[in-house]
Amino acid sequence: MPSKPYRLLGIAAIAFWLLWNLTPVEMRNTGIPVILLWTIFGGWSAIRLIQRLARESRINGAVLQGALAGYLMLGLASGLLLCGLETIQPGSFRGIDIGTGAVGLDHSVWGLNFAELNYFAFVSLTTMGYGDVVPMTAPASMICVMIAVTGTFYIAAVMGVLISRLTIQETEEVRNSSQKP
């Protein structure tokens, strides 16, 4: 994938975040553009990471760390997506302490509990499903299903690539050791 659009997206995400943080609190009633840009950037980062992992010919610590980083990026992007949904459609989730927000802003992005929404994103990504947080609307349910399918697919795809590379690596090592006198 071309790196220029990816870099531009990263710069845009940072620029919108800075602009949003410099905006007076009374004028900041939503952080949707920031959340969406960071969600897209995080998702694209995970995709790029998977593609680079697929090109690696040897398994080493850096490759394993990259695989873990990709999974964490998917979880964080999912958490941002859930935050965006809760901002657009309040009451999408039950079991999350939303709060009243800062400076009297009612149910703004300031009142969201990012830690709880990210926790739920990772629980959905791993398909664990403790039941302490529950999607209450159809869009929330569909996004949770999408997150669960993505998490399962990521594990399957990355494990397939890693096992394939490890098998090739071990075969080469056996072949090289049998050729030595």
Side-chain angles (χ1 to χ4, degrees):
M1 287 193 169
S3 62
K4 188 173 183 177
Y6 175 75
R7 288 182 182 153
L8 290 174
L9 178 63
I11 291 169
I14 291 170
F16 270 83
W17 177 76
L18 286 172
L19 180 65
W20 185 68
N21 278 313
L22 296 174
T23 304
V25 174
E26 302 81 37
M27 298 175 68
R28 288 193 266 185
N29 58 357
T30 182
I32 298 301
V34 175
I35 291 172
L36 289 178
L37 281 172
W38 279 102
T39 300
I40 294 168
F41 183 66
W44 195 353
S45 296
I47 291 168
R48 287 172 51 100
L49 192 58
I50 293 168
Q51 290 173 337
R52 292 202 177 170
L53 285 174
R55 288 189 294 242
E56 287 293 325
S57 60
R58 306 213 28 99
I59 302 298
N60 56 28
V63 170
L64 295 175
Q65 289 171 355
L68 177 61
Y71 197 68
L72 294 174
M73 287 297 293
L74 280 175
L76 293 173
S78 298
L80 287 170
L81 185 61
L82 296 180
C83 289
L85 176 64
E86 183 62 34
T87 301
I88 293 169
Q89 192 173 30
S92 293
F93 302 96
R94 184 182 70 213
I96 294 177
D97 180 27
I98 300 298
T100 58
V103 193
L105 295 175
D106 197 69
H107 198 81
S108 69
V109 72
W110 293 105
L112 290 178
N113 190 326
F114 289 103
E116 286 186 23
L117 284 166
N118 277 303
Y119 154 78
F120 180 64
F122 276 98
V123 166
S124 296
L125 191 67
T126 62
T127 68
M128 185 73 68
Y130 292 120
D132 53 345
V133 178
V134 179
M136 296 303 293
T137 62
S141 296
M142 294 309 297
I143 289 175
C144 291
V145 167
M146 180 192 71
I147 291 170
V149 168
T150 301
T152 304
F153 178 77
Y154 181 87
I155 295 294
V158 169
M159 290 305 289
V161 168
L162 292 177
I163 291 169
S164 169
R165 297 296 187 259
L166 189 59
T167 303
I168 291 169
Q169 187 174 325
E170 287 176 351
T171 304
E172 288 175 358
E173 288 173 1
V174 167
R175 187 180 316 130
N176 290 339
S177 67
S178 66
Q179 292 177 353
K180 290 183 181 179

